[in-house]
Amino acid sequence: MMKELLAATTTTLVMQTATAQVPASITLYGLMDAGMGYTRLSGAYKDPATGRTLRVSKSRLGALSGGASGPRWGLRGKEDLGDGLHAVFQLESGFDSRNGRSLQGGRLFGRQATVGLLNARWGELRLGRQYNAATRYFLDMLGPAFGGFSLLHTGYGLGMTSASFPRYDNQIFYQTPSMGGIKAAAGYAFSVNDTRNAETGYATANNTRAITAALQYARGPLSAFLGYDQLNASRLLSAAQAAATPRAYIIGASYDFTALKIAVAYNRVADGWFAGRSFRDGGRVGGLAGTPTYAFSKGLRSNSHVIALAVPTGLSGHAFASWQRTDINTSRLTGGDATGQTYSLGYSHNLSKRTDLYALVSHTRNWAFVDGVQALDAYAGLRHRF
């Protein structure tokens, strides 16, 4: 009897001790997005190297990962440190739902990996791999009315490059609390991409660094923001690249009329490109590769516009339409300098609060700014959040 009592007491003490060591709040979450997709790239264009006219006519029909949202799983936690101060962390891994392969360059937690401090009075400080300020506030501006779709993924990133989900490694990021609907945020990254083999030197100047800042107003049906990003070149780059300092200015606003939500944005970029888009499986098609990421090009100028409309369809989902246009002044970025335009239509149908079916059709003229090349994308899939 004494042995049984001693064993029960010991077990209880161990469980209490283990429980006391568990953070006050920890959440396992994720999103699965899989379906079918059709992509076609077609047209005739001039090879900038030889001047010859080349033709491309390639299409693909097959399984699709992340047609609406990137598949992911993650952990986030929050611990009360007293006096309104909390320790917070987030680890988020992106993967291909077709085969389970890690994305974001094969990183384990390529979408986000942060730790920080949070206080309701003075705001939040985060350290690690995380989004830039413009992306955060652009997504806030769209909100759930657009069914969680990334309007910036359609057209393979023709424009809005500074809000097309740049994630900076080694970033210190601070955001104020909301003051009458106004927030401000700023961050600095000591090296934006640790996977670049050319930027592994010890000195800070050997790495491409980034500055990001934004101001947001969100109150009632109105949401608006301003954002700025800048890249400082690694001294290991070529002299031509190092002479460029990519800068991006973005402004956007949305208004929710309940029966209709309208969102507009404008992005001005100089001397380079921030987040680009290539084919979903990487590589090139017909000699074309899409738009690059963290590119330096002295004298480059581009102006991008987007207009989007979203209409709720009762409790069952949302329909949306968007138009993007980007003017660029040089062919050095992709081999073309034609004005690109993308038209998109989409719909998401809720099966529950966490599961929906979606469909998207997108047509791009002068894909990747290459005159005469057209792109057609059609996706349909199932998305589940947990």
Side-chain angles (χ1 to χ4, degrees):
M1 183 67 178
M2 287 298 293
K3 290 182 179 179
E4 293 176 356
L5 180 60
L6 180 60
T9 303
T10 303
T11 301
T12 301
L13 289 173
V14 170
M15 291 180 65
Q16 288 177 344
T17 303
T19 302
Q21 293 174 349
V22 173
S25 173
I26 186 167
T27 302
L28 170 66
Y29 68 94
L31 182 150
M32 277 292 292
D33 183 329
M36 297 290 291
Y38 174 79
T39 299
R40 180 173 178 80
L41 200 66
S42 61
Y45 65 99
K46 233 175 219 187
D47 185 344
T50 65
R52 296 171 52 198
T53 297
L54 303 177
R55 295 185 179 277
V56 61
S57 181
K58 300 285 186 180
S59 64
R60 176 175 179 174
L61 172 67
L64 176 71
S65 174
S69 305
R72 72 204 70 166
W73 72 273
L75 294 166
R76 53 176 170 248
K78 183 177 181 182
E79 182 186 16
D80 191 345
L81 302 177
D83 296 324
L85 183 66
H86 295 84
V88 292
F89 78 89
Q90 184 169 9
L91 300 170
E92 188 172 277
S93 177
F95 61 92
D96 190 320
S97 63
R98 297 171 300 179
N99 50 39
R101 180 174 58 88
S102 293
L103 300 181
Q104 290 82 47
R107 293 175 171 91
L108 176 59
F109 295 109
R111 292 183 63 91
Q112 296 188 78
T114 65
V115 65
L117 295 171
L118 170 67
N119 185 286
R121 294 192 304 273
W122 55 258
E124 183 176 15
L125 178 69
R126 292 260 185 172
L127 298 92
R129 177 173 169 83
Q130 52 195 308
Y131 293 110
N132 67 330
T135 294
R136 299 168 193 246
Y137 290 166
F138 188 94
L139 294 177
D140 286 350
M141 179 192 77
L142 292 178
F146 289 90
F149 280 87
S150 166
L151 302 180
L152 306 180
H153 278 180
T154 60
Y156 291 95
L158 276 179
M160 302 290 144
T161 178
S162 65
S164 290
F165 303 95
R167 298 179 182 94
Y168 298 148
D169 293 341
N170 307 290
Q171 184 180 178
I172 300 175
F173 190 90
Y174 171 72
Q175 180 173 259
T176 70
S178 178
M179 297 169 286
I182 298 175
K183 280 184 183 180
Y188 181 81
F190 293 91
S191 174
V192 298
N193 191 345
D194 277 351
T195 65
R196 288 190 176 185
N197 293 330
E199 299 187 13
T200 56
Y202 179 80
T204 301
N206 286 355
N207 304 308
T208 296
R209 291 137 288 150
I211 298 169
T212 181
L215 184 67
Q216 179 195 58
Y217 176 80
R219 197 165 190 177
L222 176 64
S223 178
F225 77 100
L226 294 165
Y228 174 79
D229 279 79
Q230 177 179 311
L231 296 178
N232 296 324
S234 163
R235 64 185 179 188
L236 300 180
L237 298 179
S238 68
Q241 291 175 309
T245 303
R247 301 175 305 281
Y249 310 84
I250 187 169
I251 181 172
S254 68
Y255 195 91
D256 194 342
F257 295 95
T258 305
L260 171 70
K261 184 169 185 177
I262 300 176
V264 296
Y266 167 75
N267 198 190
R268 166 78 167 178
V269 182
D271 277 5
W273 208 251
F274 286 78
R277 292 280 290 173
S278 60
F279 294 98
R280 288 185 176 271
D281 295 314
R284 304 172 72 89
V285 173
L288 303 172
T291 52
T293 296
Y294 305 142
F296 293 78
S297 181
K298 185 71 173 176
L300 180 149
R301 298 288 185 275
S302 79
N303 296 284
S304 304
H305 308 77
V306 62
I307 300 174
L309 307 174
V311 179
T313 55
L315 298 175
S316 61
H318 289 83
F320 78 83
S322 69
W323 168 73
Q324 295 182 59
R325 174 190 170 99
T326 301
D327 299 302
I328 195 167
N329 71 336
T330 178
S331 62
R332 291 195 301 270
L333 188 70
T334 65
D337 59 2
T339 297
Q341 298 190 67
T342 298
Y343 306 85
S344 301
L345 290 171
Y347 179 72
S348 67
H349 177 78
N350 297 324
L351 300 176
S352 70
K353 289 184 178 180
R354 297 187 298 170
T355 305
D356 69 307
L357 297 169
Y358 65 83
L360 170 71
V361 177
S362 175
H363 175 70
T364 300
R365 296 171 55 191
N366 299 332
W367 178 85
F369 316 120
V370 179
D371 190 20
V373 176
Q374 316 292 315
L376 174 66
D377 298 292
Y379 310 146
L382 173 67
R383 181 172 45 176
H384 174 74
R385 305 165 184 85
F386 63 87

